[in-house]
Amino acid sequence: MHTILQPEGWAKPIGYANGVAAQGRLVFVGGQVGWNGQCQFETDDFVGQVRQTLANVVAVLAEAGGEPRHITSMTWYFTDKAEYLANLKGIGEAYRAVIGRHFPAMAAMQVVALVEDRAKVEIQATAVIPE
């Protein structure tokens, strides 16, 4: 379905892939934040918002008939790098609970702010659903 691209001699990445090759129907998931389906935040906890954000990505993907294993790329935006780094264990647990042990190509970056003031993280994803 998807082929992980790992150049020979490179150290194996942990929790992400350097690249992914795939064929099928493209699905683009717009930036999701840690609020529920009614656009209400239930927590200001960083890991709680990550879990909800990932669940939102999965819910949008499901509308196209996709599953977490179809995600080929994710871009994470967060407002506080120190808070992100301090919560890596909890983020990993939330990720595995929602996405499983599927690790697409990823990028992560700190931004000055997100459009939603209470949002601590926003995730955009691309998926390829086999035809």
Side-chain angles (χ1 to χ4, degrees):
M1 173 175 43
H2 297 136
T3 302
I4 301 299
L5 305 175
Q6 177 65 20
E8 188 174 331
W10 283 27
K12 184 177 179 187
I14 298 173
Y16 67 95
N18 286 306
V20 177
Q23 290 184 338
R25 184 166 54 104
L26 291 172
V27 177
F28 301 94
V29 179
Q32 299 297 306
V33 297
W35 59 19
N36 63 27
Q38 288 68 50
C39 301
Q40 298 172 342
F41 287 93
E42 296 177 2
T43 184
D44 289 316
D45 174 69
F46 190 86
V47 173
Q49 284 199 16
V50 166
R51 182 181 298 269
Q52 182 64 56
T53 302
L54 291 168
N56 294 345
V57 168
V58 170
V60 173
L61 182 57
E63 286 298 305
E67 300 174 12
R69 64 190 176 104
H70 298 133
I71 298 170
T72 56
S73 177
M74 298 177 94
T75 303
W76 294 51
Y77 306 92
F78 41 82
T79 57
D80 187 335
K81 178 182 173 185
E83 188 172 26
Y84 171 82
L85 293 173
N87 285 287
L88 288 177
K89 182 179 180 188
I91 292 167
E93 290 169 357
Y95 183 92
R96 288 185 302 278
V98 178
I99 304 295
R101 293 197 166 276
H102 172 70
F103 304 107
M106 290 195 209
M109 65 200 76
Q110 177 177 304
V111 295
V112 173
L114 296 168
V115 171
E116 296 301 327
D117 289 334
R118 279 184 72 184
K120 295 183 174 213
V121 62
E122 184 168 333
I123 300 174
Q124 184 177 17
T126 302
V128 179
I129 301 172
E131 295 177 340

